Amino acid sequence: MSQEQPKREDFQEEAITYGDVFNVQGDLKTKPIAPVDAATMQKVESHLLGKNPKGGVAAAMQSAAMKNERDGVVGHNDINITATGASVKETDAPGRQVISESVGEQMVEQFSKKAPLTSSSPVQDMGIGGGGITIGEALEATVLTAGKKPVEWSDAAAIQAAEVRATGRTNIVPGGVAAAAQSAATLNARITKEEDKTKLADILADATSKLPSDRAATRRDAEGVTGAEMRNDPNLTTHTGGVSAAVAAAARLNQMISN
């Protein structure tokens, strides 16, 4: 008796799904990210933004779709969302433009572009003259010291702790910097080539625009972020120049300024 060949659907549990990469619900959560889906989002994103940002929705979908196709869990022409299921919308808000990206009619990322500032000095723009260096600015500073580091679970945990302290919320902001970091860590864990992994710079370059609110970093913030990074590191250590180090440096500078 001949043995029945396994169907592609039998391997879907090994595929990178939308739920692995984005905070989505329903049937979309278990659907593999397919090549045509990624191409559709790239086209829509590029049309409105003029480019596909590193670490953005289209880039994450492309990485996942390429791996799924290499692993044979999807075909090159497979589609799991309709042509209208990928959208990027721009909304005007006071002093900024809000960009919302959706997949399957579910928002997966939201960020904003600040309007040009004309009345403040560069020092005030960095937070030194307006109450200190903020947590969001500390996250962005990580790009300079550890931007090429692939995002790991310890980084995602530290970024989540920083977001919670900056916003005062106990839950992850949909489409925010912590959500992006968690998606990157999940995706990176399945990628073998270092050059294909999402880096901290891809996630944190515009961290302040992805925080609905922000405030000056304190010593207690630094302790909380450091603890989160250590608890999620296999060696119970922090990365030199990483997320917790940047928040700690900001807290120290803020304390010096206030004294």
Side-chain angles (χ1 to χ4, degrees), residues 133-136 138-139 141-142 158 162 165 217-226 242-254:
I133 302 171
T134 68
I135 294 172
L139 292 177
T142 309
R165 290 177 174 276
T218 67
R219 182 174 60 82
R220 295 191 66 179
D221 297 328
E223 291 173 351
V225 174
T226 298
V243 175
S244 62
V247 176
R252 286 194 300 270
L253 287 172
N254 287 344

Side-chain angles (χ1 to χ4, degrees), residues 100 111 172 188:
S100 303
F111 60 95
I172 293 178
N188 283 351

Side-chain angles (χ1 to χ4, degrees), residues 109-126:
E109 183 166 2
Q110 186 176 73
F111 60 95
S112 63
K113 299 178 181 178
K114 292 182 178 179
L117 299 176
T118 57
S119 60
S120 62
S121 69
V123 173
Q124 288 174 321
D125 292 344
M126 288 302 296

Side-chain angles (χ1 to χ4, degrees), residues 41-254:
M41 177 54 80
Q42 282 185 317
K43 183 178 180 180
V44 172
E45 193 178 78
S46 179
H47 177 72
L48 181 64
L49 304 181
K51 62 178 181 179
N52 297 124
K54 289 184 177 180
V57 174
M61 288 177 63
Q62 183 66 24
S63 296
M66 288 175 63
K67 186 177 188 303
N68 283 343
E69 186 174 359
R70 285 199 304 267
D71 292 348
V73 294
V74 297
H76 184 68
N77 297 317
D78 281 4
I79 306 173
N80 278 324
I81 60 172
T82 63
T84 57
S87 66
V88 180
K89 296 181 180 179
E90 187 176 72
T91 306
D92 290 330
R96 62 179 58 199
Q97 293 175 314
V98 180
I99 310 298
S100 303
E101 299 193 53
S102 301
V103 176
E105 299 182 353
Q106 298 187 48
M107 188 179 73
V108 295
E109 183 166 2
Q110 186 176 73
F111 60 95
S112 63
K113 299 178 181 178
K114 292 182 178 179
L117 299 176
T118 57
S119 60
S120 62
S121 69
V123 173
Q124 288 174 321
D125 292 344
M126 288 302 296
I128 299 298
I133 302 171
T134 68
I135 294 172
E137 289 167 341
L139 292 177
E140 290 183 351
T142 309
V143 175
L144 302 176
T145 56
K148 295 181 179 180
K149 179 184 183 296
V151 181
E152 299 176 320
W153 285 114
S154 58
D155 303 313
I159 293 169
Q160 180 180 347
E163 182 185 86
V164 166
R165 290 177 174 276
T167 63
R169 302 184 182 186
T170 57
N171 59 314
I172 293 178
V173 178
V177 65
Q182 288 194 354
S183 296
T186 300
L187 188 59
N188 283 351
R190 300 189 177 200
I191 298 175
T192 55
K193 293 183 179 180
E194 289 292 307
E195 60 268 25
D196 293 337
K197 294 184 177 181
T198 302
K199 310 299 192 299
L200 282 173
D202 300 327
I203 302 299
L204 299 178
D206 299 312
T208 54
S209 68
K210 295 181 180 179
L211 294 173
S213 58
D214 200 2
R215 62 176 178 80
T218 67
R219 182 174 60 82
R220 295 191 66 179
D221 297 328
E223 291 173 351
V225 174
T226 298
E229 185 172 331
M230 290 181 64
R231 286 192 301 272
N232 289 273
D233 183 88
N235 299 315
L236 298 178
T237 60
T238 59
H239 181 77
T240 303
V243 175
S244 62
V247 176
R252 286 194 300 270
L253 287 172
N254 287 344

